[in-house]
């Protein structure tokens, strides 16, 4: 009876903490990392994520980083050596956008997947703005709608999948332990449950 | 179990066996203790967890304004199992308050604070105040937005004291506003100052309890009926019975605790607040500005009173009035099982108001919720201030002489 209760509790906890992605999901953040490098990393930094960690965790290759869109013809610097320079430099950002685009290392925790989804899909035309767009989630935002050209080349489902992948990546970047604590947790708690149950049996046997 | 050679050498020089006998094998406890009585040992387990994981975190944490936030990100990402220790520490902090509130509730329910256990209660209340201080100092350390602004707001509270207020605020902060001196001294207090006091008063709290003996849900004095060897008739030895019971409680607690640590460490934003995921910015106040869930009831009381000094006095009084409880309760019986209707209603209303205040404290105030918060504050104080009256006037049931568990 008690074991069932614990199992139910566990399942509920696992279910509740899905975020945009199931814990331990590798493929979505993998694709999201590639989207991020191609469309976000030009302006936004990711100072708390380490390149080696990301490449190892998400099984990325340098080729992945620039392979998304053949039209982009990117020649990127060796990111394993230049990771800390991701995004814009302060002077350029102030001149072009008025402020530095925020670092996105912890945005997955700070805003959560619901806000991020609403933001990325919430751009609308606003001729009065410097870049011609505003956003339902963040009024007077200085970010242009970077994904608009991509959206035109995709079906709505493909676009939704891309947004999902980006959000999964941002959630992973905010808390890389998401990939492993699920597995370690199950193992640890199974051992703990066995110890607790074995002890209970021993106690009952001792009583008898 | 007879000690071997090494054991005998130690026992000839330290009173190990005598302490074991007195504290465990020959410490007699009523046989009817229920689930409410396991929160004390859980508090010890959590204290040990906080000390160990906290120590481990100090190996990697940097208490400077420039590097504090980054050092925690490094712990979470680059240090082996850093995320595990950080989550154990943050979950442990919230778990400590859950366990502590339930432990205090047991005291209210079964009259554990009554004679001869008043000192146990006072030491426990002191531990409660120390725990609040410890959590407040610890919360600044990540140097997130809420950390900085929470410290700014709460240290500003001292400013309401007439004449010396502003000087006191500057003295506490170490500067005119929260900054490097504040972070450094809060780090010292959190890592050394308060834990030392917590450990000292925990030991005194337990020793004081052992000296007078534990109470029980019936409120019956088990020492009244003893056998020829002086052992109470309605008691069992702490070892093995309550060691086994506590062990099971610890195992179940650990399962729930690690379930949260591994699968749901932020608890929907209540254990680890999302707004604290960005570094402190002295130029931007986060909205909404809310305290952690366990401080929410007291913060709500502070906010409910429209007057600044009044709010501070009410919040402080809400904490310190708990110290007076043994002398406010004029009831002839200890346990709620034998108290009258007034006490039962009063306790139910007080718990309901405390939970309501806690919920409202995490929300932005509106006109309606402010009235609700003010009413809940009045009910909370009524429980204590009217207690000398209703506990004396109500008709209680006769307490049995023996425990029929």
């Amino acid at each position: 009876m008690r074991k069932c209760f614990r199992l139910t509790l566990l399942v509920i906890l696992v279910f509740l903490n899905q975020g945009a992605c199931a814990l331990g999901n590798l493929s979505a953040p993998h694709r999201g990392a590639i989207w991020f490098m191609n469309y976000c990393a030009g302006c936004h930094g990711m100072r708390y994520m380490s390149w080696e960690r990301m490449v190892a965790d998400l099984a990325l290759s340098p080729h992945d980083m620039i392979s998304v869109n053949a039209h982009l013809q990117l020649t990127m610097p060796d990111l394993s050596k230049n990771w800390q320079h991701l995004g814009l430099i302060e002077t350029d950002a102030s001149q072009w956008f008025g402020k530095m685009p925020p670092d996105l290392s912890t945005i997955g925790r700070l805003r959560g997947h619901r806000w991020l989804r609403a933001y990325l899909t919430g751009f609308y035309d606003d001729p009065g703005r410097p870049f011609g767009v505003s956003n339902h989630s963040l009024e007077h935002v200085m970010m242009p709608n970077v994904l608009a050209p991509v959206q035109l080349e995709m079906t709505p489902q493909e676009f939704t999948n891309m947004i999902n992948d980006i959000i999964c990546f941002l959630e992973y970047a905010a808390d890389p332990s998401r990939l492993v604590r699920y597995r370690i947790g199950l193992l640890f708690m199974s051992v703990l449950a066995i110890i607790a149950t074995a002890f209970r049996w021993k106690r009952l046997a001792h009583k008898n | 179990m007879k000690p071997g050679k090494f054991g005998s050498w130690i026992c000839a020089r330290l009173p190990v066996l005598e302490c074991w006998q007195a504290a465990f094998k020959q410490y007699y406890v009523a046989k009817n203790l229920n689930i409410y009585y396991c929160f004390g040992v859980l508090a010890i387990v959590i204290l040990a967890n906080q000390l160990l994981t906290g120590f481990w975190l100090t190996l990697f944490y940097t208490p400077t304004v420039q590097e504090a936030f980054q050092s925690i990100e490094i712990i979470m990402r680059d240090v082996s199992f850093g995320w595990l220790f950080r989550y154990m520490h943050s979950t442990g902090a919230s778990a400590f308050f859950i366990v502590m509130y339930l432990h205090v509730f047991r005291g209210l329910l079964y009259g554990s604070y009554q004679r001869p256990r008043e000192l146990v209660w006072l030491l426990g209340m002191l531990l409660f105040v120390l725990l609040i201080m410890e959590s407040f100092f610890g919360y600044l350390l990540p140097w997130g937005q809420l950390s900085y602004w929470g410290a700014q707001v709460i240290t500003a509270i001292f400013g309401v004291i007439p004449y010396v207020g502003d000087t006191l605020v500057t003295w506490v902060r170490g500067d005119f506003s929260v900054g490097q001196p504040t972070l450094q001294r809060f780090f010292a207090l959190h890592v050394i100052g308060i834990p030392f006091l917590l450990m000292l008063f925990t030991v005194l709290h337990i020793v004081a309890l052992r000296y007078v003996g534990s109470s029980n849900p019936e409120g019956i004095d088990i020492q009244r009926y003893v056998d020829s060897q002086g052992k109470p008739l309605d008691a069992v030895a702490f070892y093995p019975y309550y060691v086994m019971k506590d062990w099971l409680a610890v195992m179940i607690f650990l399962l729930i605790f690690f379930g949260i640590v591994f699968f749901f460490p932020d608890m929907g934003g209540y254990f680890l607040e999302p707004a604290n995921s960005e570094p402190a910015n002295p130029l931007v106040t986060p909205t909404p500005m809310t305290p952690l869930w366990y401080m929410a009831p007291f913060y709500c009381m502070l906010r409910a009173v429209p007057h600044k000094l009044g709010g501070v006095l009410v919040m402080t009084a809400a904490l310190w009035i708990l110290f007076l409880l043994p002398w406010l309760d004029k009831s002839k019986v200890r346990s709620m099982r034998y108290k009258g209707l007034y006490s039962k209603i009063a306790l139910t209303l007080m718990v309901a108001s405390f939970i309501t205040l806690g919920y409202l404290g995490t929300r932005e105030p509106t006109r309606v919720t402010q009235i609700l918060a003010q009413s809940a504050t009045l009910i909370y104080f009524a429980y204590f201030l009217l207690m000398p009256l209703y506990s004396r006037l109500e008709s209680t049931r006769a307490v049995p002489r023996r425990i029929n568990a």
Side-chain angles (χ1 to χ4, degrees), chain B residues 38-88:
Chain B
C38 67
F39 293 112
V41 76
L42 291 185
I44 294 172
V45 167
I46 299 174
L47 178 64
N49 171 70
Q50 295 303 95
L51 290 169
L52 289 169
T53 56
F55 162 72
W56 193 94
L57 287 168
T58 58
L59 297 173
F60 301 98
Y61 172 76
T62 311
T64 64
V65 162
Q66 295 81 13
E67 290 188 41
F69 189 86
Q70 186 177 285
S71 66
I72 295 200
E73 290 300 317
I74 288 170
I75 288 169
M76 294 293 288
R77 295 158 191 277
D78 298 326
V79 177
S80 292
F81 293 102
W83 56 270
L84 178 60
F85 286 94
R86 198 275 173 103
Y87 284 147
M88 281 172 72

Side-chain angles (χ1 to χ4, degrees), chain A residues 2 6 10 13-14 17 48 53 105-106 109-110 173-175 177 181-182 184-185 188-189 192 199-200, chain B residues 69-70 73 77-78 81 83 87 244 247-248 251-252 254-256 258-259 262-265 274-275 277-278:
Chain A
R2 219 169 265 167
R6 284 179 213 148
L10 196 67
L13 284 175
V14 170
N17 196 29
Y48 300 124
R53 172 83 193 260
S105 312
T106 58
R109 274 190 346 239
L110 182 62
D175 181 16
S177 70
R181 55 182 162 86
Y182 176 61
I184 296 175
F188 185 89
M189 290 184 59
L192 206 58
F199 176 76
R200 188 100 171 110
Chain B
F69 189 86
Q70 186 177 285
E73 290 300 317
R77 295 158 191 277
D78 298 326
F81 293 102
W83 56 270
Y87 284 147
M244 299 307 181
W247 179 248
L248 184 68
M251 292 267 81
I252 294 172
L254 287 178
L255 271 168
I256 298 171
F258 281 108
F262 284 111
F263 299 107
F264 204 18
S277 298
E278 58 179 333

Side-chain angles (χ1 to χ4, degrees), chain B residues 16-168:
Chain B
V16 177
L17 273 177
E18 287 85 339
C19 286
W20 167 254
Q21 299 277 31
F24 292 95
K25 267 198 100 169
Q26 282 168 7
Y27 178 64
Y28 292 101
V29 181
K31 58 188 178 182
N32 65 338
L33 299 195
N34 59 19
I35 192 174
Y36 283 111
Y37 284 80
C38 67
F39 293 112
V41 76
L42 291 185
I44 294 172
V45 167
I46 299 174
L47 178 64
N49 171 70
Q50 295 303 95
L51 290 169
L52 289 169
T53 56
F55 162 72
W56 193 94
L57 287 168
T58 58
L59 297 173
F60 301 98
Y61 172 76
T62 311
T64 64
V65 162
Q66 295 81 13
E67 290 188 41
F69 189 86
Q70 186 177 285
S71 66
I72 295 200
E73 290 300 317
I74 288 170
I75 288 169
M76 294 293 288
R77 295 158 191 277
D78 298 326
V79 177
S80 292
F81 293 102
W83 56 270
L84 178 60
F85 286 94
R86 198 275 173 103
Y87 284 147
M88 281 172 72
H89 200 74
S90 62
T91 310
S94 287
F96 213 157
F97 276 93
I98 295 172
V99 158
M100 190 271 309
Y101 280 136
L102 288 167
H103 187 63
V104 170
F105 177 68
R106 181 278 309 272
L108 298 179
L109 199 59
Y110 297 131
S112 314
Y113 48 79
Q114 281 195 16
R115 193 169 181 271
R117 296 174 189 90
E118 300 98 321
L119 188 61
V120 182
W121 176 262
L122 291 176
L123 289 166
M125 280 300 123
L126 199 55
L127 282 168
F128 176 35
V129 171
L130 284 172
L131 191 64
I132 291 172
M133 289 167 67
E134 176 78 344
S135 69
F136 169 62
F137 295 138
Y139 197 57
L140 180 64
L141 303 188
W143 203 251
Q145 267 287 67
L146 288 182
S147 303
Y148 175 86
W149 286 99
Q152 192 83 340
V153 165
I154 301 299
T155 50
I157 278 175
F158 290 101
V160 304
I161 300 168
Y163 307 113
V164 296
D166 289 332
T167 317
L168 204 56

Side-chain angles (χ1 to χ4, degrees), chain B residues 335-400:
Chain B
S335 170
M336 198 57 71
R337 292 181 179 184
Y338 297 98
K339 281 189 176 169
L341 192 61
Y342 299 154
S343 288
K344 290 182 172 133
I345 292 171
L347 183 62
T348 312
L349 285 175
M350 191 277 264
V351 170
S353 69
F354 195 70
I355 293 172
T356 308
L357 285 164
Y359 175 71
L360 293 175
T362 57
R363 293 269 166 277
E364 283 287 280
T366 65
R367 263 195 69 219
V368 173
T369 60
Q370 276 293 80
I371 295 168
L372 198 58
Q374 284 156 4
S375 316
T377 309
L378 282 169
I379 294 170
Y380 175 89
F381 277 100
Y383 169 78
F384 295 98
L385 297 173
L386 296 178
M387 191 183 276
L389 208 62
Y390 66 69
S391 61
R392 192 179 291 142
L393 289 177
E394 66 183 357
S395 49
T396 57
R397 281 170 50 210
V399 181

Side-chain angles (χ1 to χ4, degrees), chain A:
Chain A
M1 186 64 202
R2 219 169 265 167
K3 250 168 122 170
C4 289
F5 167 77
R6 284 179 213 148
L7 200 64
T8 321
L9 195 68
L10 196 67
V11 169
I12 292 168
L13 284 175
V14 170
F15 181 71
L16 279 176
N17 196 29
Q18 292 308 327
C21 272
L23 293 173
N25 183 343
L26 264 179
S27 52
H30 173 103
R31 292 190 299 269
I34 299 167
W35 290 118
F36 179 87
M37 293 314 301
N38 282 269
Y39 290 98
C40 315
C43 296
H44 291 280
M46 190 118 337
R47 85 170 78 96
Y48 300 124
M49 174 59 76
S50 85
W51 166 260
E52 292 86 3
R53 172 83 193 260
M54 191 177 77
V55 162
D57 280 350
L58 301 181
L60 291 163
S61 74
H63 183 67
D64 286 333
M65 297 285 101
I66 56 168
S67 68
V68 162
N69 188 335
H71 302 306
L72 285 178
Q73 297 287 327
L74 294 175
T75 48
M76 293 185 93
D78 182 354
L79 287 171
S80 60
K81 294 182 177 62
N82 292 288
W83 181 254
Q84 64 272 26
H85 299 305
L86 212 64
L88 288 173
I89 56 175
E90 188 100 35
T91 43
D92 288 344
S94 307
Q95 258 188 337
W96 302 342
F97 298 100
K99 63 180 277 196
M100 187 71 177
D103 186 277
L104 296 185
S105 312
T106 58
I107 202 88
R109 274 190 346 239
L110 182 62
R111 297 289 193 180
H113 64 99
R114 288 192 183 88
W115 188 93
L116 287 170
R117 190 185 311 281
Y119 178 76
L120 289 171
T121 55
F123 284 96
Y124 63 91
D125 291 330
D126 186 353
R129 300 293 298 149
F131 293 105
V133 290
S134 195
N135 192 291
H136 293 296
S137 297
L138 212 56
E139 222 185 322
H140 304 310
V141 71
M142 285 305 290
M143 173 174 157
N145 189 1
V146 182
L147 299 176
V150 195
Q151 193 175 5
L152 291 172
E153 294 174 4
M154 288 179 169
T155 65
Q157 186 57 50
E158 284 172 340
F159 183 69
T160 306
N161 291 343
M162 181 186 73
I163 298 293
N164 266 350
D165 291 342
I166 293 174
I167 293 171
C168 281
F169 170 70
L170 292 176
E171 278 187 337
Y172 156 76
D175 181 16
S177 70
R178 284 175 71 85
L179 294 182
V180 296
R181 55 182 162 86
Y182 176 61
R183 282 198 310 272
I184 296 175
L186 274 177
L187 182 66
F188 185 89
M189 290 184 59
S190 311
V191 169
L192 206 58
I194 289 168
I195 293 172
T197 325
F199 176 76
R200 188 100 171 110
W201 274 2
K202 186 179 176 226
R203 186 182 159 205
L204 285 169
H206 192 74
K207 245 174 141 172
N208 293 336

Side-chain angles (χ1 to χ4, degrees), chain B residues 206-275:
Chain B
I206 296 170
V207 167
L209 174 70
R210 291 310 179 89
Y211 190 64
V212 296
S214 306
S215 183
N216 56 78
E218 295 281 293
I220 293 168
D221 182 3
I222 57 170
Q223 295 293 339
R224 283 178 73 187
Y225 298 95
V226 295
D227 64 12
S228 52
Q229 278 132 4
K231 173 188 170 295
L233 291 170
D234 291 324
V236 290
F238 190 80
Y239 177 85
Y241 297 98
Y242 283 110
V243 170
M244 299 307 181
K245 192 175 170 131
D246 283 347
W247 179 248
L248 184 68
V250 167
M251 292 267 81
I252 294 172
F253 166 77
L254 287 178
L255 271 168
I256 298 171
F257 177 76
F258 281 108
I260 295 170
V261 163
F262 284 111
F263 299 107
F264 204 18
D266 62 348
M267 197 48 86
Y270 283 101
F271 285 10
L272 277 170
E273 291 171 309

